[in-house]
Amino acid sequence: MASHGFWSLRPDDSSDNTRAWCQAAAQKFTGGIGSKLCALLNVGESDKSAESPAKEAQSGVETCGCNQPCNCSRTNQGFSDLYSTDLLPATNGDMKTMTFLQEVVDILLSYILESFDRSTKVIDFHYPNELLQTNNWELSDEPETLDEILLSCRATLKYAIKTAHPRYFNQLSTGLDMVGLAADWLTSTANTNMFTYEVAPVFVLLEYVTLRKMREIIGWPEGRGDGIFSPGGSISNMYAMLLARFKMFPEVKEKGMSSIPRLAAFTSEHSHFSIKKGAAALGIGTESVICIKVDERGKMIPSDLERRLVEAKQKGLVPFFVSATAGTTVYGAFDPLIAIADICKKHGVWMHVDGAWGGSLLMSRKHRWKLNGVERADSVTWNPHKMMSVPLQCSALLVKEEGLMANCNQMHACYLFQQDKQYDLSYDTGDKALQCGRHVDIFKLWLMWRPAGPQHTNVCFWYLPPGIRYLEDKEEKMRRLHKVAPVIKARMMEYGTTMVSYQPQGDKVNFFRMVISNPAATVEDIDFLIEEIERLGQDL
C-alpha cells in the first residue's frame, strides 16, 4: 500500500501514540512546525521543563523542533521592527525571508488542521458592519511591520469560511486536496504567465497534454481539437457562445453585430445564469436567449427545444447556439444529450455542453452514461474545481474544431507573438484567449490527476417544522414554508456548526440544496446536518 506521508501518521486516543505522532511530525517539518502542531493539540506540554523557554531566550537560538540531538537551529527572529523591504531581494534578506515565510506556513498548517476538525465551527459569523469594526481593514498610508502582516494573515483566516470542513455543504466547490494545495503553492512561487511558451514552457506543455487527454475522454478522435483554461465556467460558456457566433458569421469579428442578422440562443430554464450573462456581454442580448422547458426532474425537453427553434426561425431570428447542461446547479440534472445533438444537427446549430458541475462524471466508469452523446458536442465546459476537488479556480473549455479559437480571437500582437521565434508557435497559446495575462491553473489538475472522479449528488429537500407540518390550507402552508429555510440558514451561520444552501426554483418555494462533493464528508456529517436543521427549526 502506498504511503500517504505525514497525513497517514494520525494518532489514536493513546497519549503515547499521540506523542509519537508529534515526534514524527517534528521530523517531517523544519523550523519548529512539528512542535507547534503538537502545541495545537495540547500534547506533552506538562512534560516540558518550565525553564526551557528561558534557556532559549538566553541563548537567542531556537531549536529546530526535531526532538532529537542535532545541530539544527534557527535564529530567533522578531518581526516588530522589520518591513517587507527587509525581505528578499534585500541584501542579507535570505534568512529573514525564510523565517518570515516559515511563520506564514505555520499559520496555514494550523488552519488546515483546524479545518478538518469536526469540533471547530465552519464559520465564525459576523455581520458586515461588525466585522468591519472588529479589525482595522483599511489601507494605511504608512507601511506595516511584518508582525502586523502576520496578524493580518491570522485575522483573515479566523473569519474565513472553512470550505474544507467536513460539514460544509454550501457550494459545489468544497473540500481541500493536499496535493492540489501543494501545486497551488508551487504555481504562486513560479509566478509566471500562460501566454507564451517562452515564459511558461512546462506549464504550457502540461496544459497541452491535459487538454488533449480531456478531449480523448469526451470521445473526440485522438483527442484532436482545441481548448483553454479560463477564469471559471461562466467565462468558458461565454467562449463557447463567442466561437459559435464566429463559426456561423466570421465577419462579426471585424464588422460587429450590425453586420449580421438577429441571433437566437437556446438553453434550459434550469441552466446556469452565465448563458444569459454571456449573451449580454457579447451584444447578443438576454432577450435573444430562449429558455426551454424542463421535465419534473429538471431535464430539458427535446420536443420543446425543436418547437422553439422552428418558432424562432419563423420570427426571422437565426438560431446559432444550443447549450445543454450536464449537471444543473440546483437539481443536478443531466439534459438528454443524444436527442439534443440530433436536433442541433438537423437545424445546423452549434451544440455546447455546460458540464461545469457534471463533466467530471466522464471519468467515472459507473456514471459516465449520464453524458452519452457529449462526443457530438462542438464544445464542452468542464470545471475540475468542483467535483474533482481541484483548488479554485480550474475551468476548461474544450472545442472540437482545431484552430477555431485562434481564428476567432487572435490579434497578432507583435511584442508577444513574434512570428520568427525558434520554436513551434502553436505553443504560444495567449493569442487565442480573450485575456492577455492568464493565471496558471493547469498544474493543480495535472498533479492531482487520477483515473476516476469522485461521486457526487445534489439533494434538494424541504424541512417542515412542527408549526406548519399539519396545516391544511395549502397556500398558507407554502407561504410559511418559504420563510423556513432562510431563518434556519441564518441561525446556522450564527452558530457556525455547518452550512448548506437554499433557494426557490420555478413555482417551488425555498428549499435546501444539499451538495455532497467534499471528500471529507461522511454519513455521520450528513446526519449532523439534518439534526441541526431540525434543532434550529423546531420553533418555526
Side-chain angles (χ1 to χ4, degrees):
M1 183 175 177
S3 170
H4 295 284
F6 163 70
W7 301 107
S8 65
L9 300 172
R10 293 171 179 163
D12 56 24
D13 293 334
S14 162
S15 61
D16 290 340
N17 285 326
T18 303
R19 189 172 295 107
W21 179 82
C22 286
Q23 290 173 350
Q27 292 175 357
K28 291 283 181 180
F29 294 112
T30 61
I33 304 176
S35 299
K36 292 180 181 180
L37 292 176
C38 294
L40 282 171
L41 298 171
N42 296 318
V43 173
E45 291 298 315
S46 60
D47 297 335
K48 291 183 179 180
S49 169
E51 59 183 323
S52 294
K55 287 183 178 179
E56 286 185 6
Q58 291 172 5
S59 66
V61 173
E62 183 181 347
T63 61
C64 71
C66 67
N67 290 344
Q68 291 183 0
C70 69
N71 295 320
C72 305
S73 66
R74 66 173 183 175
T75 303
N76 235 347
Q77 179 71 66
F79 298 106
S80 60
D81 59 348
L82 294 180
Y83 295 85
S84 63
T85 51
D86 295 306
L87 304 178
L88 289 174
T91 304
N92 299 323
D94 51 351
M95 184 56 69
K96 295 171 186 175
T97 299
M98 291 174 64
T99 308
F100 170 72
L101 291 179
Q102 192 69 70
E103 290 291 332
V104 175
V105 170
D106 286 2
I107 293 170
L108 298 178
L109 288 174
S110 298
Y111 181 76
I112 291 168
L113 291 179
E114 188 179 356
S115 293
F116 287 97
D117 183 355
R118 287 176 173 81
S119 68
T120 64
K121 289 184 175 183
V122 175
I123 174 178
D124 183 4
F125 179 76
H126 291 68
Y127 287 96
N129 60 321
E130 295 173 340
L131 194 53
L132 282 170
Q133 295 169 10
T134 301
N135 288 274
N136 181 17
W137 306 104
E138 297 297 330
L139 296 173
S140 172
D141 292 333
E142 298 298 323
E144 291 188 336
T145 66
L146 295 183
D147 243 352
E148 292 169 318
I149 296 300
L150 292 172
L151 285 172
S152 295
C153 291
R154 293 187 182 95
T156 300
L157 290 178
K158 172 178 170 56
Y159 299 109
I161 310 300
K162 296 184 182 71
T163 58
H165 198 289
R167 291 171 180 168
Y168 177 80
F169 303 101
N170 205 63
Q171 310 297 149
L172 300 182
S173 304
T174 63
L176 181 62
D177 184 276
M178 295 302 117
V179 174
L181 176 63
D184 224 3
W185 287 356
L186 185 147
T187 296
S188 294
T189 304
N191 191 32
T192 193
N193 200 314
M194 285 293 288
F195 46 40
T196 63
Y197 176 84
E198 66 181 279
V199 298
V202 176
F203 295 132
V204 165
L205 292 179
L206 294 183
E207 185 175 73
Y208 172 80
V209 299
T210 305
L211 287 172
R212 182 180 62 192
K213 183 66 175 179
M214 295 171 83
R215 292 192 297 266
E216 287 178 5
I217 292 171
I218 288 172
W220 295 337
E222 300 176 7
R224 289 194 296 269
D226 209 340
I228 202 165
F229 281 86
S230 74
S234 294
I235 301 300
S236 293
N237 288 340
M238 188 176 75
Y239 265 120
M241 188 176 286
L242 178 70
L243 294 172
R245 184 179 66 178
F246 178 81
K247 176 69 174 177
M248 185 171 284
F249 297 105
E251 64 270 24
V252 73
K253 179 178 178 180
E254 294 182 353
K255 298 180 180 179
M257 289 293 293
S258 62
S259 66
I260 65 175
R262 186 179 173 193
L263 303 177
F266 303 82
T267 191
S268 91
E269 58 188 12
H270 281 197
S271 67
H272 194 261
F273 66 84
S274 59
I275 303 301
K276 284 191 173 182
K277 185 168 283 191
L282 295 174
I284 295 167
T286 59
E287 290 185 358
S288 296
V289 178
I290 298 171
C291 293
I292 308 303
K293 292 179 180 178
V294 299
D295 62 20
E296 68 281 356
R297 301 187 66 184
K299 299 180 179 183
M300 184 190 290
I301 299 174
S303 59
D304 191 55
L305 171 63
E306 181 145 39
R307 180 182 70 82
R308 300 300 297 273
L309 272 164
V310 172
E311 188 179 90
K313 289 181 179 180
Q314 291 172 345
K315 292 180 178 179
L317 303 178
V318 178
F320 80 108
F321 180 80
V322 171
S323 179
T325 309
T328 58
T329 306
V330 182
Y331 289 175
F334 287 74
D335 289 341
L337 301 183
I338 294 176
I340 292 171
D342 289 340
I343 294 170
C344 288
K345 182 178 180 180
K346 176 180 176 181
H347 292 273
V349 178
W350 181 286
M351 177 183 173
H352 173 65
V353 174
D354 178 6
W357 175 222
S360 296
L361 287 189
L362 288 167
M363 299 180 70
S364 168
R365 297 183 186 92
K366 183 177 181 180
H367 298 289
R368 180 187 170 92
W369 64 270
K370 294 181 181 180
L371 287 99
N372 283 350
V374 68
E375 71 283 353
R376 297 176 62 185
D378 295 290
S379 57
V380 177
T381 291
W382 181 349
N383 283 12
H385 70 230
K386 291 182 177 169
M387 199 187 308
M388 294 174 69
S389 299
V390 176
L392 286 160
Q393 61 191 10
C394 188
S395 175
L397 174 74
L398 295 312
V399 183
K400 182 181 286 185
E401 182 176 334
E402 189 172 1
L404 185 64
M405 288 194 75
N407 291 336
C408 180
N409 298 322
Q410 65 188 0
M411 292 294 164
H412 304 292
C414 60
Y415 70 94
L416 278 178
F417 310 111
Q418 301 92 339
Q419 298 302 297
D420 52 359
K421 293 181 180 180
Q422 72 271 34
Y423 56 81
D424 183 349
L425 297 179
S426 66
Y427 291 106
D428 281 0
T429 57
D431 211 12
K432 67 182 179 183
L434 291 177
Q435 306 159 255
C436 178
R438 191 160 63 92
H439 187 262
V440 178
D441 294 327
I442 180 57
F443 191 63
K444 298 170 289 192
L445 174 59
W446 179 83
L447 205 63
M448 286 175 60
W449 191 274
R450 46 195 174 210
Q455 296 183 10
H456 83 296
T457 184
N458 291 34
V459 180
C460 301
F461 62 93
W462 285 293
Y463 167 68
L464 275 68
I468 65 172
R469 198 168 293 171
Y470 302 109
L471 281 177
E472 294 184 2
D473 186 331
K474 186 176 180 182
E475 186 174 325
E476 174 65 11
K477 190 173 187 177
M478 290 297 103
R479 186 186 69 81
R480 292 175 61 179
L481 180 59
H482 185 66
K483 300 177 180 178
V484 169
V487 173
I488 292 177
K489 173 66 178 287
R491 293 175 178 179
M492 186 181 289
M493 292 182 70
E494 290 182 7
Y495 277 95
T497 53
T498 185
M499 280 185 73
V500 66
S501 185
Y502 74 87
Q503 71 168 82
Q505 179 73 53
D507 60 353
K508 295 179 175 61
V509 298
N510 279 324
F511 54 84
F512 289 107
R513 181 190 64 140
M514 175 87 169
V515 179
I516 307 171
S517 62
N518 189 340
T522 64
V523 173
E524 289 74 19
D525 295 315
I526 297 169
D527 288 343
F528 177 86
L529 172 73
I530 301 302
E531 290 166 3
E532 276 292 271
I533 289 174
E534 190 168 24
R535 179 180 73 85
L536 297 171
Q538 275 293 316
D539 63 331
L540 298 179

